[in-house]
Amino acid sequence: MKTKTFKILKRNSFIIILALILNSCSDDSGNTPQPCLDYNFYGLQIGGNWSNPTGQIDFIKNTTANLANPGIQVLSSALTSDNLYSNRPAFDRTNETLYFIDEFNGGQKMYVATPSVIDEINISPSASYGAPVYVGNQLYALEFDASGIYLCTISATGAAVRQGASIGPNEFYNDTVGNKAYGVASLSGSLLFLVDHQLYNVSTSGAVLSSIFANTSAGYAMYSDIEIDPETGGLFLPKSENGQRSIVHWDFTSGSVVESTIVSNIDFNPESVNLAYNNCGDRLLVLSNGTYINNAQENSTVWELEIPNSPNSGSILNSYSFSDMLLGLVY
C-alpha cells in the first residue's frame, strides 16, 4: 500500500509540474524559458494605402505564434470613407471588443469592432476626443475643449459624459488633425495620459492624482504612444528626436521621469505608430504605417522587441510587413 501511494503521489507531482511548464510563459529572469502560447493580437485592417484605401475596414485577429509568418483572420468588416492613421485603441479582451477613435479626422468618430460587426459611431456632444482607455468595464477618453481637457466616460451609443473638472489646459483645441494624447490604465486601475510632455495620473472620477512634466531631453522630443510596463508600473514609448527614432522606457516612481533606451534604432513613423505589450515572454510589439523616411508610402510593419528582464533585452526578434494597412494593434 505504501509503495502504491508513493507511486501515485510521484505521478501526480510530475503531472502538476508538466502542466505548469506547458501553460506558463517565460519567467522574467530568462533562466527557465517556457512555451509562450499567447499570440492572439487584434487590430483593424484597411486594404490599399493612405492615398488609395479600398473603403473596407476589417477587425482582425492573428492566429499563429510566429510573427514572421502571421495568420490573419478577419472577424468582421464594414465600409468606411476615412483615411485612417494608427493610434492607440482601447480593448475589452473579455468580450473581444476594440474601440478606435478616429483622431486624425477631428476626433468625433469611433469604430466599435466585435467578432460579429463593426459599428461607426459619432461621439456626442460634438467635440474632439482621443486617448481611449477601457478599464473596469467602462470606456474612458479625453475631451479637448476650449476651456481645457476633460476625462469622459463613453457609452456604447457614443454619449460622452464629463467626469470631474478639467485635468489641464488644452493647447490642442484648434488642432483637428493628429493625435493629441495617449492613454493607458495604470497597475492600480487609475488612468495615465500623456499630453505633449505632461504625464497625468487621473482617477476614474476625473481627479488628478499627480502631474509630471517630462523634461527628458535637451532637444525637441516627440512621443507617439504610451504602453504600461506591468513589472514596474513604468511606461514604454516611441520617441523621435533630431531624426533619431527609438523605443524608450520611463520610470516615474521618484516623482520625475527617468528615461532609458530600449532599442536605439527602429524605423517607425512617429505620426502613425502604436505599441502593444505581451507579458508572455516580455514582448513589445511596435506597429507603424509608413517609414517617415523620404515620405515612403510603405503600408504597415510590426516589430517584435525583447524588453528588460527578457533573455535578449533590447533586440528586435522579428518583423513583418503587411500588404494592407494595419491599425490599432492590441493584445
Side-chain angles (χ1 to χ4, degrees), residues 141-222:
L142 293 183
E143 177 186 320
F144 295 84
D145 183 81
S147 60
I149 305 170
Y150 296 85
L151 178 68
C152 294
T153 58
I154 310 289
S155 72
T157 60
V161 179
R162 288 181 179 179
Q163 307 296 305
S166 170
I167 69 169
N170 180 15
E171 300 176 1
F172 300 92
Y173 177 62
N174 293 318
D175 182 3
T176 59
V177 179
N179 294 334
K180 303 175 182 66
Y182 310 94
V184 70
S186 74
L187 297 185
S188 64
S190 63
L191 307 173
L192 296 173
F193 294 105
L194 180 64
V195 183
D196 194 12
H197 288 70
Q198 199 74 27
L199 181 64
Y200 297 100
N201 185 11
V202 183
S203 73
T204 53
S205 62
V208 178
L209 304 177
S210 65
S211 178
I212 303 172
F213 181 75
N215 185 15
T216 61
S217 175
Y220 172 76
M222 173 183 177

Side-chain angles (χ1 to χ4, degrees), residues 6 89-90 100 114 141 162 179 205 225 227 245 272 282 304 327:
F6 175 76
F100 184 91
T114 71
R162 288 181 179 179
N179 294 334
S205 62
D225 193 17
E227 173 64 298
R245 288 175 299 283
S272 187
D282 279 331
E304 182 182 28
L327 313 166

Side-chain angles (χ1 to χ4, degrees), residues 7-321:
K7 288 182 177 179
I8 292 173
L9 290 173
K10 186 176 180 181
R11 181 194 63 187
N12 289 347
S13 297
F14 173 77
I15 291 173
I16 292 172
I17 293 171
L18 181 62
L20 288 172
I21 291 175
L22 292 178
N23 291 286
S24 299
C25 297
S26 301
D27 74 350
D28 294 334
S29 67
N31 293 327
T32 56
Q34 299 162 10
C36 188
L37 305 179
D38 184 9
Y39 46 78
N40 294 133
F41 65 75
Y42 297 77
L44 298 176
Q45 179 175 268
I46 297 178
N49 55 40
W50 286 338
S51 60
N52 187 29
T54 64
Q56 178 170 304
I57 186 170
D58 300 319
F59 181 35
I60 62 164
K61 175 181 179 179
N62 178 57
T63 60
T64 58
N66 184 6
L67 180 64
N69 186 27
I72 299 301
Q73 175 187 359
V74 175
L75 302 178
S76 55
S77 301
L79 297 179
T80 179
S81 59
D82 291 323
N83 290 338
L84 301 174
Y85 287 60
S86 189
N87 51 263
R88 185 173 190 82
F91 190 50
D92 172 6
R93 190 178 179 89
T94 301
N95 297 300
E96 287 187 305
T97 302
L98 184 147
Y99 302 90
F100 184 91
I101 295 179
D102 179 10
E103 298 183 41
F104 273 84
N105 290 289
Q108 299 177 357
K109 184 183 296 183
M110 176 174 66
Y111 294 89
V112 180
T114 71
S116 58
V117 66
I118 299 178
D119 289 321
E120 185 179 296
I121 297 173
N122 290 322
I123 304 176
S124 179
S126 180
S128 183
Y129 297 90
V133 181
Y134 189 89
V135 64
N137 298 319
Q138 177 64 58
L139 177 65
Y140 297 88
L142 293 183
E143 177 186 320
F144 295 84
D145 183 81
S147 60
I149 305 170
Y150 296 85
L151 178 68
C152 294
T153 58
I154 310 289
S155 72
T157 60
V161 179
R162 288 181 179 179
Q163 307 296 305
S166 170
I167 69 169
N170 180 15
E171 300 176 1
F172 300 92
Y173 177 62
N174 293 318
D175 182 3
T176 59
V177 179
N179 294 334
K180 303 175 182 66
Y182 310 94
V184 70
S186 74
L187 297 185
S188 64
S190 63
L191 307 173
L192 296 173
F193 294 105
L194 180 64
V195 183
D196 194 12
H197 288 70
Q198 199 74 27
L199 181 64
Y200 297 100
N201 185 11
V202 183
S203 73
T204 53
S205 62
V208 178
L209 304 177
S210 65
S211 178
I212 303 172
F213 181 75
N215 185 15
T216 61
S217 175
Y220 172 76
M222 173 183 177
Y223 299 96
S224 304
D225 193 17
I226 58 175
E227 173 64 298
I228 196 73
D229 176 358
E231 295 175 352
T232 68
L235 294 172
F236 300 108
L237 307 92
K239 176 185 178 181
S240 306
E241 184 177 25
N242 300 325
Q244 180 77 22
R245 288 175 299 283
S246 56
I247 304 299
V248 300
H249 181 273
W250 280 4
D251 181 282
F252 46 89
T253 55
S254 66
S256 61
V257 169
V258 178
E259 182 176 290
S260 56
T261 300
I262 305 299
V263 176
S264 58
N265 289 287
I266 183 167
D267 191 18
F268 61 79
N269 179 354
E271 294 184 348
S272 187
V273 59
N274 78 269
L275 306 181
Y277 175 80
N278 180 12
N279 63 1
C280 204
D282 279 331
R283 301 291 192 265
L284 186 69
L285 297 189
V286 181
L287 165 67
S288 181
N289 306 129
T291 63
Y292 203 65
I293 294 179
N294 299 322
N295 295 318
Q297 285 290 335
E298 296 179 9
N299 289 340
S300 298
T301 301
V302 176
W303 295 269
E304 182 182 28
L305 313 182
E306 285 209 48
I307 57 177
N309 296 324
S310 56
N312 299 295
S313 177
S315 65
I316 299 176
L317 290 180
N318 293 298
S319 65
Y320 186 85
S321 295

